[in-house]
Amino acid sequence: MSSPLENPTDFSARERRALETLVKRLGDDEFVLAERYTEWQVRAPSLESDLALANNAQDELGHARLWYDVLADLDVDERDLVYERDPADFRHSTLVELPFAEGDWADAVLRSYLYDAAEDLRLEALEDSAYPPIADRVGKIRSEEEYHLEHARNWLERLAEGEEGRDRLQDALDRLFPHALTLFESATPPVETAIPTREASGSNEIERNTDETSGDRSDADAAAAVEGDIVDFGLRTATLEELGEEWLSIVVPFLESLDLDVPIDESTIGEGVEYAVTVESLPTQLGRDGTHTDAWFDLYDDLTHTYRELERSDAAKIREDPDR
Amino acid sequence: MTRRSSEAGTDGGSESVRGSDRETTPCAYTEYREGRDTEECPATGDGATGLEADVWDALSSVEDPEMPISVVDLGLIYGVDVDGGAATVEMTLTYSGCPAREMLTDEVAESVAAVEGVEDVDVRLVWSPEWTVEMVTESGKADLRAFGLSV
């Protein structure tokens, strides 16, 4: 078992890289999903659903911030993480970046369900993280996330009751499901933390997976290596494969209970594998490896527009505090 | 829920209750983590003396931006540590997406910095244990009720 990671200034380059990769995939998912949710403000089908989704967006922004704060100990601040980052360095799943089909509430509801079911599992796998700042955040985030899942499930059940609603859900499912699978893809380490050629740490334990030819490694190998480190160092206590299987075992039966066809190979070969995720089930862009759909680059341009064009990097005080 | 009457039964009467209390063991399926004693959160500064008491007084003057209640009574302050002139405040927020985050942490830092004898302030945001309405002090609950909230 790995010992608790206490002081980030003592981290080896590999520990730092693992932490940064994990936190970016967590924070980026929340941040980008929140940006998309806000598009529903004043457009959701009822005042209640409008407020609910706006509130969920605010929750996700808060959670993104909680995750990004973890990197503050490594001297990476929010501005670097949001406004000064190359959009190709974001590690979110493509599920959260896709634009909503115009006016399609079924898309918003289904996306929320697919995402929140996955988030619940991954938070559970972070509760006993070896890095205390991660573990300490999980309770707060989970307590707020419970409502998201409940909200999504209730809406799914309501929409699936009628034929038109179910048809729309089916369309959304066919479109979104491959992207949801990227939630469980391993993330390529962010570019600015390329491993130094020589490890500072002399520990054999830390060195054991170091590839001599790391300079030539493909991104996929680097992603697999850093994902192995995330689990080996105890930052997360379950593998992505375990999380993905558990997620399938929850969402597939639930969606099928709503008379929806889940677009995934069901194999009953008798090895305990009920659902198989193959390369063919995944979209071209995985998000986690830094490849994204064009929609993400457009969204990034939009959300950084004011920062870039008007050079507004800080909130300005328009007038002095009248109470002073 | 299963009452453990079979163990207590032979002793009989109220004696058995105390007897089984003494045998209380940690819950088998709960993993106990090292960390802050959640019974101590929030902290209210009761019994603080000297400069630390002055820091608590300063904190009591900082109000939530939306309700007439101090951050101390709201239960946001988890600890104050004064070492020489250096004050460290551990606090939380009611909500992870709190839009008043900077406003509150800045105000806490400013009010503590203004205390005579404090030379340096470090405000640390912590999230565990997570804040719930149970963290509000009795006098804080009275303030919130007067404001029209049911707590």
Side-chain angles (χ1 to χ4, degrees):
Chain A
M1 278 304 290
S2 44
S3 58
L5 301 165
E6 293 291 349
N7 189 351
T9 55
D10 295 339
F11 282 5
S12 70
R14 278 182 60 189
E15 286 167 334
R16 185 189 157 112
R17 186 186 63 168
L19 179 66
E20 193 169 338
T21 307
L22 174 65
V23 169
K24 283 187 174 171
R25 60 182 293 147
L26 294 167
D28 294 351
D29 273 354
E30 302 276 51
F31 177 68
V32 178
L33 185 60
E35 287 295 329
R36 281 295 180 213
Y37 279 160
T38 56
E39 293 170 9
W40 279 99
Q41 278 182 69
V42 306
R43 290 181 176 83
S46 68
L47 182 58
E48 287 78 9
S49 54
D50 194 315
L51 292 171
L53 206 63
N55 185 73
N56 289 4
Q58 195 181 346
D59 288 355
E60 305 301 23
L61 282 176
H63 301 164
R65 209 167 195 193
L66 255 59
W67 292 128
Y68 289 154
D69 279 350
V70 171
L71 294 181
D73 292 337
L74 280 73
D75 293 326
V76 186
D77 71 21
E78 230 172 63
R79 191 179 305 180
D80 298 330
L81 284 165
V82 176
Y83 296 105
E84 297 287 350
R85 187 148 49 126
D86 181 348
D89 189 46
F90 278 70
R91 291 294 179 264
H92 55 270
S93 150
T94 50
L95 176 72
V96 299
E97 76 191 26
L98 298 176
F100 294 108
E102 194 179 343
D104 193 359
W105 181 243
D107 180 319
V109 166
L110 182 74
R111 188 182 308 203
S112 170
Y113 172 70
L114 296 173
Y115 178 79
D116 291 325
E119 190 180 10
D120 187 49
L121 297 174
R122 80 176 175 212
L123 286 171
E124 196 179 344
L126 294 169
E127 269 181 341
D128 295 315
S129 172
Y131 190 50
I134 290 182
D136 288 348
R137 286 162 157 69
V138 173
K140 186 71 184 170
I141 296 178
R142 274 193 109 180
S143 69
E144 293 170 354
E145 285 291 344
E146 280 172 27
Y147 298 103
H148 299 191
L149 202 48
E150 194 181 329
H151 176 254
R153 271 201 225 100
N154 288 346
W155 263 107
L156 276 180
E157 282 167 1
R158 252 186 290 173
L159 289 178
E161 277 172 14
E163 197 176 332
E164 194 198 338
R166 197 166 54 244
D167 287 349
R168 285 190 182 211
L169 283 175
Q170 186 62 57
D171 286 348
L173 185 56
D174 292 340
R175 189 170 59 247
L176 295 176
F177 200 77
H179 293 280
L181 295 174
T182 71
L183 286 164
F184 308 100
E185 285 298 297
S186 50
T188 308
V191 281
E192 66 265 46
T193 51
I195 328 174
T197 47
R198 190 176 295 276
E199 275 273 344
S201 158
S203 155
N204 288 332
E205 172 73 15
I206 300 295
E207 297 289 340
R208 72 178 190 281
N209 284 330
T210 304
D211 188 336
E212 296 292 334
T213 59
S214 60
D216 300 328
R217 282 193 308 200
S218 71
D219 280 357
D221 289 343
V226 80
E227 175 52 33
D229 283 351
I230 287 169
V231 176
D232 285 351
F233 297 153
L235 293 173
R236 186 191 332 103
T237 59
T239 65
L240 290 174
E241 200 177 4
E242 287 163 347
L243 292 176
E245 279 174 16
E246 201 175 348
W247 177 80
L248 285 170
S249 77
I250 292 167
V251 302
V252 175
F254 180 70
L255 294 170
E256 286 179 347
S257 77
L258 303 174
D259 280 338
L260 296 167
D261 285 326
V262 183
I264 189 160
D265 302 334
E266 282 192 44
S267 74
T268 45
I269 318 170
E271 290 174 27
V273 182
E274 280 188 76
Y275 311 101
V277 177
T278 60
V279 179
E280 291 78 45
S281 350
L282 292 166
T284 318
Q285 283 90 14
L286 301 176
R288 300 290 194 212
D289 61 355
T291 61
H292 292 279
T293 63
D294 291 344
W296 160 240
F297 297 97
D298 294 343
L299 179 62
Y300 185 82
D301 274 352
D302 280 354
L303 72 91
T304 55
H305 180 83
T306 312
Y307 178 80
R308 281 180 293 109
E309 300 296 320
L310 303 177
E311 297 176 358
R312 297 275 195 270
S313 55
D314 290 296
K317 275 201 170 69
I318 294 172
R319 59 173 190 170
E320 290 302 309
D321 184 344
D323 295 334
R324 295 194 178 187
Chain B
M1 293 286 280
T2 309
R3 293 188 61 182
R4 303 180 64 191
S5 53
S6 58
E7 288 169 47
T10 49
D11 295 327
S14 60
E15 189 60 34
S16 67
V17 176
R18 287 197 293 274
S20 62
D21 271 356
R22 275 196 294 273
E23 291 160 17
T24 303
T25 54
C27 177
Y29 49 82
T30 301
E31 198 173 329
Y32 291 86
R33 293 179 58 86
E34 289 294 314
R36 190 184 293 105
D37 183 354
T38 57
E39 292 297 308
E40 291 171 7
C41 288
T44 53
D46 284 350
T49 54
L51 188 55
E52 193 186 324
D54 296 341
V55 169
W56 279 106
D57 283 346
L59 289 171
S60 296
S61 71
V62 178
E63 278 197 351
D64 181 275
E66 291 172 335
M67 299 172 291
I69 179 172
S70 86
V71 292
V72 175
D73 279 329
L74 191 53
L76 298 185
I77 309 297
Y78 283 1
V80 168
D81 186 52
V82 176
D83 182 11
T88 305
V89 178
E90 281 202 346
M91 67 179 290
T92 193
L93 299 173
T94 58
Y95 170 44
S96 68
C98 177
R101 176 167 127 158
E102 264 79 42
M103 186 195 248
L104 270 170
T105 53
D106 286 354
E107 215 176 316
V108 162
E110 281 169 22
S111 67
V112 174
V115 173
E116 199 180 326
V118 170
E119 286 149 22
D120 190 39
V121 187
D122 185 12
V123 177
R124 294 182 191 164
L125 271 184
V126 294
W127 301 98
S128 178
E130 63 253 36
W131 183 92
T132 69
V133 76
E134 297 304 311
M135 302 276 190
V136 181
T137 65
E138 284 311 311
S139 82
K141 281 178 183 159
D143 290 343
L144 290 180
R145 282 186 200 111
F147 183 59
L149 293 176
S150 76
V151 285

